[in-house]
Amino acid sequence: MKALRPVPRTLLRDRACEAIRHAIVAGEMEPGAVVRDADLAERLGLSRAPVREAFSRLVDEGLLESKPQSYTRVTPVVAADVRDAAAVVGAMHELVTRVAVPRLEEADLDEMRAANERFAAAVHAGDVDGAVRADDELHHVLVRAAGNRAAAATIDRHTPLIRRLERRRFGEGGNCRSAGLHEQLIAACAAGDTEAALRVTAGIWRGLEKLADSD
């Protein structure tokens, strides 16, 4: 029984945070919905402590808002907040792209191509979850290659705000980014053309800022 050890509380908090974050971004927990730690703890099969810790992190991320001794609820989708998040995340993606492009190997490019194929197929099929997942996987190749943990953490923190609006737009029949832009990015990376890759990356994130402006 030596292999069985208590699960660290941080892992339970992370599990709770990931599950609640996904429910909010996916729209399963709608803006304005009041959330209670006891209810979510029961649904997740956890104690209330890690759920409360997850609430604190999600408040910091802007997905929940809390009034002490009163309520905790899902925040509305605010265009200005999404625009600000897109500007910050875009800047981080440009930073990692500049560092990553010279480091990419053929296996990395193949991984990006495969992710874009999954992305295009998911968009065609109307599979929001699949499109978002594939998009994350494609861009994560560059984040991983850059190896900048501060940039990666900033991207992780602010991307969920953007995803909420993207998913809603996609569900309304709008576009979920563009496989064509991804192809341009991959081609620039394959050519080792850092400046071209940066231009495409900037274009992707400017598009998301405009998406927020149109909300």
Side-chain angles (χ1 to χ4, degrees), residues 80-120:
D81 292 342
V82 176
R83 184 171 57 251
D84 290 346
V88 170
V89 173
M92 293 300 99
H93 275 291
E94 289 183 51
L95 185 156
V96 300
T97 296
R98 183 177 298 278
V99 175
V101 170
R103 299 180 179 181
L104 294 174
E105 299 180 357
E106 193 60 35
D108 297 315
L109 296 169
D110 287 342
E111 189 175 345
M112 293 175 73
R113 294 183 184 107
N116 197 35
E117 288 177 5
R118 293 192 297 274
F119 174 83

PDB file of all heavy atoms in Angstrom, residues 80-120:
ATOM      1  N   ALA A  80     -15.156  44.994 -23.145  1.00  0.00           N
ATOM      2  CA  ALA A  80     -13.902  45.676 -22.801  1.00  0.00           C
ATOM      3  C   ALA A  80     -12.926  44.720 -22.136  1.00  0.00           C
ATOM      4  O   ALA A  80     -11.715  44.779 -22.397  1.00  0.00           O
ATOM      5  CB  ALA A  80     -14.189  46.865 -21.895  1.00  0.00           C
ATOM      6  N   ASP A  81     -13.442  43.837 -21.277  1.00  0.00           N
ATOM      7  CA  ASP A  81     -12.571  42.870 -20.606  1.00  0.00           C
ATOM      8  C   ASP A  81     -11.979  41.884 -21.608  1.00  0.00           C
ATOM      9  O   ASP A  81     -10.800  41.519 -21.520  1.00  0.00           O
ATOM     10  CB  ASP A  81     -13.350  42.109 -19.529  1.00  0.00           C
ATOM     11  CG  ASP A  81     -13.758  42.995 -18.363  1.00  0.00           C
ATOM     12  OD1 ASP A  81     -13.156  44.085 -18.211  1.00  0.00           O
ATOM     13  OD2 ASP A  81     -14.664  42.599 -17.611  1.00  0.00           O
ATOM     14  N   VAL A  82     -12.811  41.441 -22.552  1.00  0.00           N
ATOM     15  CA  VAL A  82     -12.328  40.505 -23.575  1.00  0.00           C
ATOM     16  C   VAL A  82     -11.287  41.178 -24.460  1.00  0.00           C
ATOM     17  O   VAL A  82     -10.255  40.589 -24.796  1.00  0.00           O
ATOM     18  CB  VAL A  82     -13.497  39.976 -24.427  1.00  0.00           C
ATOM     19  CG1 VAL A  82     -12.985  39.080 -25.557  1.00  0.00           C
ATOM     20  CG2 VAL A  82     -14.492  39.215 -23.561  1.00  0.00           C
ATOM     21  N   ARG A  83     -11.547  42.421 -24.829  1.00  0.00           N
ATOM     22  CA  ARG A  83     -10.599  43.161 -25.661  1.00  0.00           C
ATOM     23  C   ARG A  83      -9.264  43.331 -24.950  1.00  0.00           C
ATOM     24  O   ARG A  83      -8.193  43.138 -25.545  1.00  0.00           O
ATOM     25  CB  ARG A  83     -11.186  44.517 -26.028  1.00  0.00           C
ATOM     26  CG  ARG A  83     -10.325  45.333 -26.986  1.00  0.00           C
ATOM     27  CD  ARG A  83     -11.054  46.567 -27.490  1.00  0.00           C
ATOM     28  NE  ARG A  83     -11.510  47.423 -26.394  1.00  0.00           N
ATOM     29  CZ  ARG A  83     -12.777  47.585 -26.030  1.00  0.00           C
ATOM     30  NH1 ARG A  83     -13.728  46.933 -26.651  1.00  0.00           N
ATOM     31  NH2 ARG A  83     -13.094  48.401 -25.036  1.00  0.00           N
ATOM     32  N   ASP A  84      -9.312  43.666 -23.679  1.00  0.00           N
ATOM     33  CA  ASP A  84      -8.078  43.814 -22.909  1.00  0.00           C
ATOM     34  C   ASP A  84      -7.331  42.483 -22.813  1.00  0.00           C
ATOM     35  O   ASP A  84      -6.095  42.433 -22.945  1.00  0.00           O
ATOM     36  CB  ASP A  84      -8.386  44.332 -21.508  1.00  0.00           C
ATOM     37  CG  ASP A  84      -8.858  45.785 -21.506  1.00  0.00           C
ATOM     38  OD1 ASP A  84      -8.702  46.463 -22.538  1.00  0.00           O
ATOM     39  OD2 ASP A  84      -9.387  46.224 -20.459  1.00  0.00           O
ATOM     40  N   ALA A  85      -8.073  41.412 -22.564  1.00  0.00           N
ATOM     41  CA  ALA A  85      -7.453  40.094 -22.459  1.00  0.00           C
ATOM     42  C   ALA A  85      -6.817  39.697 -23.781  1.00  0.00           C
ATOM     43  O   ALA A  85      -5.704  39.149 -23.819  1.00  0.00           O
ATOM     44  CB  ALA A  85      -8.482  39.058 -22.025  1.00  0.00           C
ATOM     45  N   ALA A  86      -7.516  39.970 -24.891  1.00  0.00           N
ATOM     46  CA  ALA A  86      -6.978  39.618 -26.208  1.00  0.00           C
ATOM     47  C   ALA A  86      -5.698  40.389 -26.505  1.00  0.00           C
ATOM     48  O   ALA A  86      -4.758  39.853 -27.102  1.00  0.00           O
ATOM     49  CB  ALA A  86      -8.026  39.888 -27.291  1.00  0.00           C
ATOM     50  N   ALA A  87      -5.641  41.652 -26.074  1.00  0.00           N
ATOM     51  CA  ALA A  87      -4.433  42.450 -26.296  1.00  0.00           C
ATOM     52  C   ALA A  87      -3.254  41.870 -25.526  1.00  0.00           C
ATOM     53  O   ALA A  87      -2.136  41.766 -26.054  1.00  0.00           O
ATOM     54  CB  ALA A  87      -4.683  43.900 -25.887  1.00  0.00           C
ATOM     55  N   VAL A  88      -3.501  41.472 -24.283  1.00  0.00           N
ATOM     56  CA  VAL A  88      -2.429  40.917 -23.452  1.00  0.00           C
ATOM     57  C   VAL A  88      -1.988  39.554 -23.976  1.00  0.00           C
ATOM     58  O   VAL A  88      -0.788  39.284 -24.133  1.00  0.00           O
ATOM     59  CB  VAL A  88      -2.897  40.796 -21.990  1.00  0.00           C
ATOM     60  CG1 VAL A  88      -1.894  39.999 -21.163  1.00  0.00           C
ATOM     61  CG2 VAL A  88      -3.083  42.181 -21.381  1.00  0.00           C
ATOM     62  N   VAL A  89      -2.960  38.679 -24.256  1.00  0.00           N
ATOM     63  CA  VAL A  89      -2.628  37.340 -24.744  1.00  0.00           C
ATOM     64  C   VAL A  89      -1.945  37.422 -26.106  1.00  0.00           C
ATOM     65  O   VAL A  89      -0.987  36.694 -26.380  1.00  0.00           O
ATOM     66  CB  VAL A  89      -3.897  36.465 -24.815  1.00  0.00           C
ATOM     67  CG1 VAL A  89      -3.597  35.128 -25.484  1.00  0.00           C
ATOM     68  CG2 VAL A  89      -4.444  36.224 -23.418  1.00  0.00           C
ATOM     69  N   GLY A  90      -2.420  38.338 -26.958  1.00  0.00           N
ATOM     70  CA  GLY A  90      -1.775  38.507 -28.256  1.00  0.00           C
ATOM     71  C   GLY A  90      -0.323  38.922 -28.127  1.00  0.00           C
ATOM     72  O   GLY A  90       0.553  38.423 -28.836  1.00  0.00           O
ATOM     73  N   ALA A  91      -0.049  39.848 -27.206  1.00  0.00           N
ATOM     74  CA  ALA A  91       1.330  40.284 -26.991  1.00  0.00           C
ATOM     75  C   ALA A  91       2.202  39.119 -26.526  1.00  0.00           C
ATOM     76  O   ALA A  91       3.362  38.992 -26.950  1.00  0.00           O
ATOM     77  CB  ALA A  91       1.360  41.414 -25.971  1.00  0.00           C
ATOM     78  N   MET A  92       1.654  38.272 -25.662  1.00  0.00           N
ATOM     79  CA  MET A  92       2.415  37.112 -25.189  1.00  0.00           C
ATOM     80  C   MET A  92       2.665  36.112 -26.320  1.00  0.00           C
ATOM     81  O   MET A  92       3.751  35.525 -26.419  1.00  0.00           O
ATOM     82  CB  MET A  92       1.680  36.433 -24.038  1.00  0.00           C
ATOM     83  CG  MET A  92       1.588  37.241 -22.758  1.00  0.00           C
ATOM     84  SD  MET A  92       3.219  37.666 -22.038  1.00  0.00           S
ATOM     85  CE  MET A  92       3.395  39.367 -22.648  1.00  0.00           C
ATOM     86  N   HIS A  93       1.677  35.929 -27.175  1.00  0.00           N
ATOM     87  CA  HIS A  93       1.870  35.011 -28.305  1.00  0.00           C
ATOM     88  C   HIS A  93       2.908  35.556 -29.286  1.00  0.00           C
ATOM     89  O   HIS A  93       3.685  34.785 -29.869  1.00  0.00           O
ATOM     90  CB  HIS A  93       0.543  34.752 -29.021  1.00  0.00           C
ATOM     91  CG  HIS A  93      -0.265  33.654 -28.388  1.00  0.00           C
ATOM     92  ND1 HIS A  93       0.120  32.330 -28.431  1.00  0.00           N
ATOM     93  CD2 HIS A  93      -1.430  33.683 -27.693  1.00  0.00           C
ATOM     94  CE1 HIS A  93      -0.778  31.588 -27.805  1.00  0.00           C
ATOM     95  NE2 HIS A  93      -1.723  32.375 -27.341  1.00  0.00           N
ATOM     96  N   GLU A  94       2.933  36.867 -29.479  1.00  0.00           N
ATOM     97  CA  GLU A  94       3.976  37.437 -30.333  1.00  0.00           C
ATOM     98  C   GLU A  94       5.348  37.225 -29.707  1.00  0.00           C
ATOM     99  O   GLU A  94       6.321  36.898 -30.406  1.00  0.00           O
ATOM    100  CB  GLU A  94       3.704  38.933 -30.550  1.00  0.00           C
ATOM    101  CG  GLU A  94       2.503  39.211 -31.447  1.00  0.00           C
ATOM    102  CD  GLU A  94       2.318  40.689 -31.703  1.00  0.00           C
ATOM    103  OE1 GLU A  94       3.294  41.357 -32.103  1.00  0.00           O
ATOM    104  OE2 GLU A  94       1.189  41.187 -31.491  1.00  0.00           O
ATOM    105  N   LEU A  95       5.427  37.385 -28.394  1.00  0.00           N
ATOM    106  CA  LEU A  95       6.701  37.183 -27.709  1.00  0.00           C
ATOM    107  C   LEU A  95       7.202  35.753 -27.893  1.00  0.00           C
ATOM    108  O   LEU A  95       8.356  35.520 -28.248  1.00  0.00           O
ATOM    109  CB  LEU A  95       6.525  37.511 -26.223  1.00  0.00           C
ATOM    110  CG  LEU A  95       7.749  37.480 -25.308  1.00  0.00           C
ATOM    111  CD1 LEU A  95       7.506  38.374 -24.103  1.00  0.00           C
ATOM    112  CD2 LEU A  95       8.083  36.079 -24.825  1.00  0.00           C
ATOM    113  N   VAL A  96       6.305  34.773 -27.655  1.00  0.00           N
ATOM    114  CA  VAL A  96       6.750  33.374 -27.750  1.00  0.00           C
ATOM    115  C   VAL A  96       7.030  32.992 -29.204  1.00  0.00           C
ATOM    116  O   VAL A  96       7.928  32.184 -29.472  1.00  0.00           O
ATOM    117  CB  VAL A  96       5.741  32.399 -27.107  1.00  0.00           C
ATOM    118  CG1 VAL A  96       5.554  32.716 -25.639  1.00  0.00           C
ATOM    119  CG2 VAL A  96       4.410  32.370 -27.829  1.00  0.00           C
ATOM    120  N   THR A  97       6.298  33.581 -30.139  1.00  0.00           N
ATOM    121  CA  THR A  97       6.545  33.284 -31.553  1.00  0.00           C
ATOM    122  C   THR A  97       7.939  33.734 -31.959  1.00  0.00           C
ATOM    123  O   THR A  97       8.670  33.015 -32.654  1.00  0.00           O
ATOM    124  CB  THR A  97       5.480  33.962 -32.437  1.00  0.00           C
ATOM    125  OG1 THR A  97       4.194  33.395 -32.145  1.00  0.00           O
ATOM    126  CG2 THR A  97       5.781  33.762 -33.923  1.00  0.00           C
ATOM    127  N   ARG A  98       8.329  34.927 -31.528  1.00  0.00           N
ATOM    128  CA  ARG A  98       9.657  35.442 -31.879  1.00  0.00           C
ATOM    129  C   ARG A  98      10.764  34.507 -31.377  1.00  0.00           C
ATOM    130  O   ARG A  98      11.751  34.267 -32.070  1.00  0.00           O
ATOM    131  CB  ARG A  98       9.849  36.843 -31.281  1.00  0.00           C
ATOM    132  CG  ARG A  98      11.173  37.491 -31.651  1.00  0.00           C
ATOM    133  CD  ARG A  98      11.283  38.900 -31.110  1.00  0.00           C
ATOM    134  NE  ARG A  98      10.269  39.783 -31.652  1.00  0.00           N
ATOM    135  CZ  ARG A  98      10.377  40.374 -32.836  1.00  0.00           C
ATOM    136  NH1 ARG A  98      11.427  40.137 -33.615  1.00  0.00           N
ATOM    137  NH2 ARG A  98       9.422  41.178 -33.270  1.00  0.00           N
ATOM    138  N   VAL A  99      10.577  33.962 -30.187  1.00  0.00           N
ATOM    139  CA  VAL A  99      11.588  33.076 -29.622  1.00  0.00           C
ATOM    140  C   VAL A  99      11.506  31.679 -30.223  1.00  0.00           C
ATOM    141  O   VAL A  99      12.519  31.020 -30.470  1.00  0.00           O
ATOM    142  CB  VAL A  99      11.425  32.998 -28.083  1.00  0.00           C
ATOM    143  CG1 VAL A  99      12.397  31.994 -27.487  1.00  0.00           C
ATOM    144  CG2 VAL A  99      11.630  34.376 -27.461  1.00  0.00           C
ATOM    145  N   ALA A 100      10.278  31.217 -30.476  1.00  0.00           N
ATOM    146  CA  ALA A 100      10.076  29.817 -30.843  1.00  0.00           C
ATOM    147  C   ALA A 100      10.458  29.493 -32.278  1.00  0.00           C
ATOM    148  O   ALA A 100      10.980  28.390 -32.542  1.00  0.00           O
ATOM    149  CB  ALA A 100       8.616  29.428 -30.612  1.00  0.00           C
ATOM    150  N   VAL A 101      10.178  30.384 -33.213  1.00  0.00           N
ATOM    151  CA  VAL A 101      10.349  30.043 -34.633  1.00  0.00           C
ATOM    152  C   VAL A 101      11.740  29.479 -34.947  1.00  0.00           C
ATOM    153  O   VAL A 101      11.858  28.441 -35.612  1.00  0.00           O
ATOM    154  CB  VAL A 101      10.007  31.248 -35.534  1.00  0.00           C
ATOM    155  CG1 VAL A 101      10.411  30.970 -36.990  1.00  0.00           C
ATOM    156  CG2 VAL A 101       8.510  31.542 -35.470  1.00  0.00           C
ATOM    157  N   PRO A 102      12.821  30.096 -34.487  1.00  0.00           N
ATOM    158  CA  PRO A 102      14.143  29.527 -34.808  1.00  0.00           C
ATOM    159  C   PRO A 102      14.401  28.181 -34.137  1.00  0.00           C
ATOM    160  O   PRO A 102      15.326  27.461 -34.542  1.00  0.00           O
ATOM    161  CB  PRO A 102      15.121  30.589 -34.265  1.00  0.00           C
ATOM    162  CG  PRO A 102      14.316  31.835 -34.117  1.00  0.00           C
ATOM    163  CD  PRO A 102      12.941  31.380 -33.769  1.00  0.00           C
ATOM    164  N   ARG A 103      13.612  27.827 -33.149  1.00  0.00           N
ATOM    165  CA  ARG A 103      13.831  26.592 -32.400  1.00  0.00           C
ATOM    166  C   ARG A 103      13.002  25.414 -32.917  1.00  0.00           C
ATOM    167  O   ARG A 103      13.220  24.270 -32.506  1.00  0.00           O
ATOM    168  CB  ARG A 103      13.485  26.803 -30.921  1.00  0.00           C
ATOM    169  CG  ARG A 103      14.312  27.857 -30.219  1.00  0.00           C
ATOM    170  CD  ARG A 103      13.876  27.976 -28.763  1.00  0.00           C
ATOM    171  NE  ARG A 103      14.670  28.963 -28.033  1.00  0.00           N
ATOM    172  CZ  ARG A 103      14.513  29.241 -26.749  1.00  0.00           C
ATOM    173  NH1 ARG A 103      13.568  28.611 -26.056  1.00  0.00           N
ATOM    174  NH2 ARG A 103      15.278  30.151 -26.161  1.00  0.00           N
ATOM    175  N   LEU A 104      12.034  25.690 -33.769  1.00  0.00           N
ATOM    176  CA  LEU A 104      11.105  24.640 -34.183  1.00  0.00           C
ATOM    177  C   LEU A 104      11.799  23.566 -35.009  1.00  0.00           C
ATOM    178  O   LEU A 104      12.620  23.856 -35.885  1.00  0.00           O
ATOM    179  CB  LEU A 104       9.950  25.242 -34.986  1.00  0.00           C
ATOM    180  CG  LEU A 104       9.001  26.172 -34.228  1.00  0.00           C
ATOM    181  CD1 LEU A 104       8.007  26.799 -35.189  1.00  0.00           C
ATOM    182  CD2 LEU A 104       8.272  25.414 -33.122  1.00  0.00           C
ATOM    183  N   GLU A 105      11.433  22.327 -34.731  1.00  0.00           N
ATOM    184  CA  GLU A 105      11.915  21.192 -35.500  1.00  0.00           C
ATOM    185  C   GLU A 105      10.777  20.643 -36.350  1.00  0.00           C
ATOM    186  O   GLU A 105       9.616  21.027 -36.179  1.00  0.00           O
ATOM    187  CB  GLU A 105      12.462  20.121 -34.556  1.00  0.00           C
ATOM    188  CG  GLU A 105      13.639  20.617 -33.709  1.00  0.00           C
ATOM    189  CD  GLU A 105      14.183  19.553 -32.778  1.00  0.00           C
ATOM    190  OE1 GLU A 105      13.602  18.440 -32.741  1.00  0.00           O
ATOM    191  OE2 GLU A 105      15.185  19.839 -32.095  1.00  0.00           O
ATOM    192  N   GLU A 106      11.104  19.722 -37.252  1.00  0.00           N
ATOM    193  CA  GLU A 106      10.090  19.196 -38.164  1.00  0.00           C
ATOM    194  C   GLU A 106       8.954  18.529 -37.405  1.00  0.00           C
ATOM    195  O   GLU A 106       7.780  18.628 -37.797  1.00  0.00           O
ATOM    196  CB  GLU A 106      10.718  18.206 -39.146  1.00  0.00           C
ATOM    197  CG  GLU A 106       9.806  17.853 -40.322  1.00  0.00           C
ATOM    198  CD  GLU A 106       9.424  19.080 -41.162  1.00  0.00           C
ATOM    199  OE1 GLU A 106      10.264  19.994 -41.317  1.00  0.00           O
ATOM    200  OE2 GLU A 106       8.276  19.110 -41.641  1.00  0.00           O
ATOM    201  N   ALA A 107       9.278  17.879 -36.299  1.00  0.00           N
ATOM    202  CA  ALA A 107       8.228  17.234 -35.502  1.00  0.00           C
ATOM    203  C   ALA A 107       7.256  18.270 -34.945  1.00  0.00           C
ATOM    204  O   ALA A 107       6.043  18.010 -34.853  1.00  0.00           O
ATOM    205  CB  ALA A 107       8.850  16.437 -34.362  1.00  0.00           C
ATOM    206  N   ASP A 108       7.771  19.439 -34.589  1.00  0.00           N
ATOM    207  CA  ASP A 108       6.896  20.509 -34.095  1.00  0.00           C
ATOM    208  C   ASP A 108       5.962  20.996 -35.200  1.00  0.00           C
ATOM    209  O   ASP A 108       4.762  21.204 -34.979  1.00  0.00           O
ATOM    210  CB  ASP A 108       7.730  21.687 -33.587  1.00  0.00           C
ATOM    211  CG  ASP A 108       8.612  21.330 -32.411  1.00  0.00           C
ATOM    212  OD1 ASP A 108       8.122  20.653 -31.491  1.00  0.00           O
ATOM    213  OD2 ASP A 108       9.800  21.714 -32.424  1.00  0.00           O
ATOM    214  N   LEU A 109       6.509  21.168 -36.386  1.00  0.00           N
ATOM    215  CA  LEU A 109       5.693  21.623 -37.518  1.00  0.00           C
ATOM    216  C   LEU A 109       4.633  20.591 -37.870  1.00  0.00           C
ATOM    217  O   LEU A 109       3.483  20.938 -38.172  1.00  0.00           O
ATOM    218  CB  LEU A 109       6.587  21.902 -38.724  1.00  0.00           C
ATOM    219  CG  LEU A 109       7.604  23.038 -38.538  1.00  0.00           C
ATOM    220  CD1 LEU A 109       8.612  23.039 -39.675  1.00  0.00           C
ATOM    221  CD2 LEU A 109       6.888  24.384 -38.445  1.00  0.00           C
ATOM    222  N   ASP A 110       5.005  19.312 -37.822  1.00  0.00           N
ATOM    223  CA  ASP A 110       4.027  18.248 -38.088  1.00  0.00           C
ATOM    224  C   ASP A 110       2.903  18.284 -37.055  1.00  0.00           C
ATOM    225  O   ASP A 110       1.731  18.062 -37.383  1.00  0.00           O
ATOM    226  CB  ASP A 110       4.702  16.879 -38.070  1.00  0.00           C
ATOM    227  CG  ASP A 110       5.577  16.634 -39.296  1.00  0.00           C
ATOM    228  OD1 ASP A 110       5.404  17.360 -40.301  1.00  0.00           O
ATOM    229  OD2 ASP A 110       6.434  15.731 -39.242  1.00  0.00           O
ATOM    230  N   GLU A 111       3.269  18.567 -35.811  1.00  0.00           N
ATOM    231  CA  GLU A 111       2.267  18.656 -34.743  1.00  0.00           C
ATOM    232  C   GLU A 111       1.320  19.822 -35.005  1.00  0.00           C
ATOM    233  O   GLU A 111       0.097  19.707 -34.802  1.00  0.00           O
ATOM    234  CB  GLU A 111       2.975  18.827 -33.402  1.00  0.00           C
ATOM    235  CG  GLU A 111       2.068  18.720 -32.200  1.00  0.00           C
ATOM    236  CD  GLU A 111       2.826  18.782 -30.877  1.00  0.00           C
ATOM    237  OE1 GLU A 111       4.070  18.630 -30.890  1.00  0.00           O
ATOM    238  OE2 GLU A 111       2.165  18.993 -29.838  1.00  0.00           O
ATOM    239  N   MET A 112       1.846  20.943 -35.472  1.00  0.00           N
ATOM    240  CA  MET A 112       1.010  22.091 -35.791  1.00  0.00           C
ATOM    241  C   MET A 112       0.088  21.792 -36.973  1.00  0.00           C
ATOM    242  O   MET A 112      -1.094  22.146 -36.957  1.00  0.00           O
ATOM    243  CB  MET A 112       1.883  23.314 -36.099  1.00  0.00           C
ATOM    244  CG  MET A 112       2.656  23.833 -34.891  1.00  0.00           C
ATOM    245  SD  MET A 112       3.792  25.200 -35.299  1.00  0.00           S
ATOM    246  CE  MET A 112       2.636  26.553 -35.576  1.00  0.00           C
ATOM    247  N   ARG A 113       0.617  21.128 -37.981  1.00  0.00           N
ATOM    248  CA  ARG A 113      -0.209  20.775 -39.156  1.00  0.00           C
ATOM    249  C   ARG A 113      -1.348  19.838 -38.760  1.00  0.00           C
ATOM    250  O   ARG A 113      -2.498  20.014 -39.199  1.00  0.00           O
ATOM    251  CB  ARG A 113       0.666  20.134 -40.231  1.00  0.00           C
ATOM    252  CG  ARG A 113       1.705  21.077 -40.837  1.00  0.00           C
ATOM    253  CD  ARG A 113       2.482  20.399 -41.951  1.00  0.00           C
ATOM    254  NE  ARG A 113       3.548  21.262 -42.462  1.00  0.00           N
ATOM    255  CZ  ARG A 113       4.836  21.073 -42.233  1.00  0.00           C
ATOM    256  NH1 ARG A 113       5.249  20.045 -41.495  1.00  0.00           N
ATOM    257  NH2 ARG A 113       5.733  21.900 -42.727  1.00  0.00           N
ATOM    258  N   ALA A 114      -1.031  18.851 -37.944  1.00  0.00           N
ATOM    259  CA  ALA A 114      -2.057  17.905 -37.513  1.00  0.00           C
ATOM    260  C   ALA A 114      -3.134  18.612 -36.684  1.00  0.00           C
ATOM    261  O   ALA A 114      -4.332  18.336 -36.827  1.00  0.00           O
ATOM    262  CB  ALA A 114      -1.419  16.765 -36.708  1.00  0.00           C
ATOM    263  N   ALA A 115      -2.705  19.524 -35.816  1.00  0.00           N
ATOM    264  CA  ALA A 115      -3.670  20.269 -35.007  1.00  0.00           C
ATOM    265  C   ALA A 115      -4.568  21.126 -35.895  1.00  0.00           C
ATOM    266  O   ALA A 115      -5.777  21.232 -35.656  1.00  0.00           O
ATOM    267  CB  ALA A 115      -2.942  21.142 -33.989  1.00  0.00           C
ATOM    268  N   ASN A 116      -4.005  21.720 -36.950  1.00  0.00           N
ATOM    269  CA  ASN A 116      -4.820  22.552 -37.832  1.00  0.00           C
ATOM    270  C   ASN A 116      -5.806  21.712 -38.638  1.00  0.00           C
ATOM    271  O   ASN A 116      -6.914  22.159 -38.937  1.00  0.00           O
ATOM    272  CB  ASN A 116      -3.928  23.370 -38.779  1.00  0.00           C
ATOM    273  CG  ASN A 116      -4.689  24.534 -39.403  1.00  0.00           C
ATOM    274  OD1 ASN A 116      -5.550  25.142 -38.753  1.00  0.00           O
ATOM    275  ND2 ASN A 116      -4.402  24.841 -40.658  1.00  0.00           N
ATOM    276  N   GLU A 117      -5.421  20.512 -38.995  1.00  0.00           N
ATOM    277  CA  GLU A 117      -6.356  19.612 -39.681  1.00  0.00           C
ATOM    278  C   GLU A 117      -7.531  19.285 -38.760  1.00  0.00           C
ATOM    279  O   GLU A 117      -8.693  19.282 -39.192  1.00  0.00           O
ATOM    280  CB  GLU A 117      -5.644  18.332 -40.116  1.00  0.00           C
ATOM    281  CG  GLU A 117      -4.674  18.534 -41.275  1.00  0.00           C
ATOM    282  CD  GLU A 117      -3.928  17.262 -41.627  1.00  0.00           C
ATOM    283  OE1 GLU A 117      -4.231  16.203 -41.027  1.00  0.00           O
ATOM    284  OE2 GLU A 117      -3.047  17.313 -42.513  1.00  0.00           O
ATOM    285  N   ARG A 118      -7.234  19.020 -37.488  1.00  0.00           N
ATOM    286  CA  ARG A 118      -8.310  18.751 -36.529  1.00  0.00           C
ATOM    287  C   ARG A 118      -9.175  19.986 -36.337  1.00  0.00           C
ATOM    288  O   ARG A 118     -10.406  19.895 -36.214  1.00  0.00           O
ATOM    289  CB  ARG A 118      -7.717  18.313 -35.191  1.00  0.00           C
ATOM    290  CG  ARG A 118      -7.018  16.957 -35.229  1.00  0.00           C
ATOM    291  CD  ARG A 118      -6.720  16.435 -33.832  1.00  0.00           C
ATOM    292  NE  ARG A 118      -5.807  17.282 -33.087  1.00  0.00           N
ATOM    293  CZ  ARG A 118      -4.475  17.195 -33.151  1.00  0.00           C
ATOM    294  NH1 ARG A 118      -3.898  16.310 -33.955  1.00  0.00           N
ATOM    295  NH2 ARG A 118      -3.712  17.991 -32.415  1.00  0.00           N
ATOM    296  N   PHE A 119      -8.527  21.152 -36.321  1.00  0.00           N
ATOM    297  CA  PHE A 119      -9.255  22.411 -36.162  1.00  0.00           C
ATOM    298  C   PHE A 119     -10.229  22.623 -37.313  1.00  0.00           C
ATOM    299  O   PHE A 119     -11.414  22.903 -37.099  1.00  0.00           O
ATOM    300  CB  PHE A 119      -8.256  23.566 -36.089  1.00  0.00           C
ATOM    301  CG  PHE A 119      -8.886  24.931 -36.067  1.00  0.00           C
ATOM    302  CD1 PHE A 119      -9.360  25.477 -34.877  1.00  0.00           C
ATOM    303  CD2 PHE A 119      -9.007  25.674 -37.224  1.00  0.00           C
ATOM    304  CE1 PHE A 119      -9.941  26.738 -34.857  1.00  0.00           C
ATOM    305  CE2 PHE A 119      -9.596  26.928 -37.212  1.00  0.00           C
ATOM    306  CZ  PHE A 119     -10.060  27.465 -36.024  1.00  0.00           C
ATOM    307  N   ALA A 120      -9.740  22.480 -38.533  1.00  0.00           N
ATOM    308  CA  ALA A 120     -10.582  22.704 -39.710  1.00  0.00           C
ATOM    309  C   ALA A 120     -11.744  21.721 -39.740  1.00  0.00           C
ATOM    310  O   ALA A 120     -12.884  22.095 -40.059  1.00  0.00           O
ATOM    311  CB  ALA A 120      -9.740  22.583 -40.982  1.00  0.00           C
TER     312      ALA A 120
END
